[in-house]
Amino acid sequence: MGGAFLAAAVLARLGGRIGLPTIPLFILAGILLGPHTPGVVLLDDPHDLEMLSALGLVLLLFYLGLEFHLDDLRKGGRRMALAGGTYLALNVGAGLGFGFALGWGTSEALVLAGVLGISSSAIVTKVLVDLGRIGDPETRPILGIIVVEDVFLALYLAALQPILSGADSLGAAVLDGGKAFGFLLLLAVAARFGTKVIGRLIHTGDDELLVISFLGAAVFVAGVSEWFGVADAIGAFMVGLMLGSTTSGARIRKLVHPLRDAFGAIFFFAFGLSIDPGDLPSVVWPVLAAVAVTMAMNVLAGMATAKIYAFGPAGTANISTTLLARGEFALILATMAAGAGLDERLSPFIAGYVLLLAVLAPLAAGRSHRLARILPGGRAAERANGKDAVPV
């Protein structure tokens, strides 16, 4: 674990000197020091970091919830649902079509629909933090789309599980989906009406006790969420949503920063450990095609969201590039597909696809102004704001 932290830090420091974002460098550290690459091997089994990696994801989404205020849900619920639904329709639909076009099978196409259709909450959160965009106007729709995706994720996994396992039980699938939706509804009600009570319970003047309290709450609810068939990350997000609106919210945001950064790095490092570079050449062309499809669909979804929220080309570009990354959900699907005995090309395809987008997405988000210039009205907006308004 110490080696993982140090390796991630060294690579991130070196990359920072030439302007590279930290996320792909943390992943690269995992690949170079993992069991699938010659040389020094820190861990023979990536599962050794599974719990720490899960904690990193929980803390990333907990922080995201702290920044997403309940007022945003109350005021923009319809627009958020419309933007999220549009994003899912474009990306999941394109993923399903791409899956059938590959001809690997119907179950494989259903897996690829989720892989290509759902953004990585962890990477999106890290990109927003690294680029200092948490307070930007277009960040609220981005977070709203992430919330809609996570709700869809819970229902999608519940529906997909019996298909992959070969079970012929529609009733079981409906029961699992209803259980997940009911728990999400319970968390939403607690976030909407229980904030004052929760605020009194969590409040303390002692920073040590506050850290233990919010960390325990986030991890506990994440674990219970997983038991109900809801992604653990969305449970942590809901806890952050509740606590962010309390009187202790500002202190919690400050105290969680070092925990989020440290264990978030382990999450991306552990992701790198699971990638076998030797498997990638066999699926390079499907991976490149899938990345091209995802980039195109994200631009279309960004334009649709910007129209809903009346943003200009800069907002469109920020939305399109920030939501580009794919990550933890795709890896979950890869594990499910391997366990179900689906096409053996799926696992290396998903690994290559996620790795490439994990590298491209932070780079694209940091240079979104270049996309803004070529979007409709981009040049005119640049001239209107003055040449120096757009960074180069």
Side-chain angles (χ1 to χ4, degrees), residues 48-129:
D48 289 343
L49 284 180
E50 189 171 9
M51 182 60 72
L52 294 175
S53 173
L55 182 58
L57 179 59
V58 163
L59 288 171
L60 282 166
L61 270 293
F62 173 71
Y63 179 79
L64 187 67
L66 289 172
E67 294 290 348
F68 196 95
H69 300 292
L70 283 171
D71 288 341
D72 298 319
L73 286 173
R74 297 189 193 111
K75 295 176 182 176
R78 288 185 180 179
R79 289 195 299 177
M80 182 183 75
L82 181 58
T86 302
Y87 187 90
L88 285 171
L90 288 170
N91 284 274
V92 174
L96 185 63
F98 180 82
F100 280 121
L102 282 180
W104 291 355
T106 300
S107 295
E108 287 79 0
L110 291 171
V111 169
L112 289 172
V115 170
L116 271 66
I118 307 293
S119 304
S120 167
S121 301
I123 297 179
V124 168
T125 305
K126 191 71 165 60
V127 167
L128 291 172
V129 171

Side-chain angles (χ1 to χ4, degrees), residues 333-354:
L333 285 175
T335 303
M336 291 173 62
L342 300 187
D343 195 299
E344 61 183 15
R345 291 170 291 184
L346 266 181
S347 290
F349 168 86
I350 292 172
Y353 171 76
V354 171

Side-chain angles (χ1 to χ4, degrees), residues 7 46 78 87 131 155 166 189 199 229 236 250 253 260 283-284 289 312 319 341 355:
R78 288 185 180 179
Y87 187 90
L131 297 178
L155 302 176
V189 170
R253 277 189 286 273
R260 178 205 68 195
V283 290
V284 62
I319 294 168
L355 177 61

Side-chain angles (χ1 to χ4, degrees), residues 15-241:
R17 294 183 178 182
I18 56 175
L20 290 177
T22 59
I23 294 169
L25 294 169
F26 292 154
I27 296 172
L28 179 61
I31 294 174
L32 294 177
L33 298 173
H36 307 297
T37 306
V40 178
V41 176
L42 279 183
L43 289 160
D44 291 319
D45 187 356
H47 292 293
D48 289 343
L49 284 180
E50 189 171 9
M51 182 60 72
L52 294 175
S53 173
L55 182 58
L57 179 59
V58 163
L59 288 171
L60 282 166
L61 270 293
F62 173 71
Y63 179 79
L64 187 67
L66 289 172
E67 294 290 348
F68 196 95
H69 300 292
L70 283 171
D71 288 341
D72 298 319
L73 286 173
R74 297 189 193 111
K75 295 176 182 176
R78 288 185 180 179
R79 289 195 299 177
M80 182 183 75
L82 181 58
T86 302
Y87 187 90
L88 285 171
L90 288 170
N91 284 274
V92 174
L96 185 63
F98 180 82
F100 280 121
L102 282 180
W104 291 355
T106 300
S107 295
E108 287 79 0
L110 291 171
V111 169
L112 289 172
V115 170
L116 271 66
I118 307 293
S119 304
S120 167
S121 301
I123 297 179
V124 168
T125 305
K126 191 71 165 60
V127 167
L128 291 172
V129 171
D130 286 352
L131 297 178
R133 290 182 179 171
I134 290 292
D136 289 359
E138 63 271 13
T139 296
R140 297 306 172 196
I142 290 171
L143 299 185
I145 290 172
I146 290 295
V147 172
V148 173
E149 284 186 319
D150 283 335
V151 174
F152 172 80
L153 161 61
L155 302 176
Y156 181 78
L157 281 178
L160 189 62
Q161 183 61 52
I163 296 174
L164 294 185
S165 64
D168 187 21
S169 175
L170 179 61
V174 171
L175 180 62
D176 289 343
K179 185 171 69 171
F181 183 77
F183 184 70
L184 283 172
L185 185 61
L186 178 63
L187 290 178
V189 170
R192 173 66 178 87
F193 299 105
T195 304
K196 290 184 179 179
V197 175
I198 293 168
R200 285 196 294 269
L201 291 173
I202 200 77
H203 179 72
T204 174
D206 189 315
D207 283 351
E208 179 185 11
L209 292 179
L210 185 58
V211 169
I212 294 171
S213 299
F214 73 68
L215 185 60
V219 175
F220 180 77
V221 174
V224 173
S225 299
E226 197 171 53
W227 187 81
F228 275 96
V230 177
D232 52 4
I234 189 62
F237 174 88
M238 296 301 292
V239 174
L241 189 66

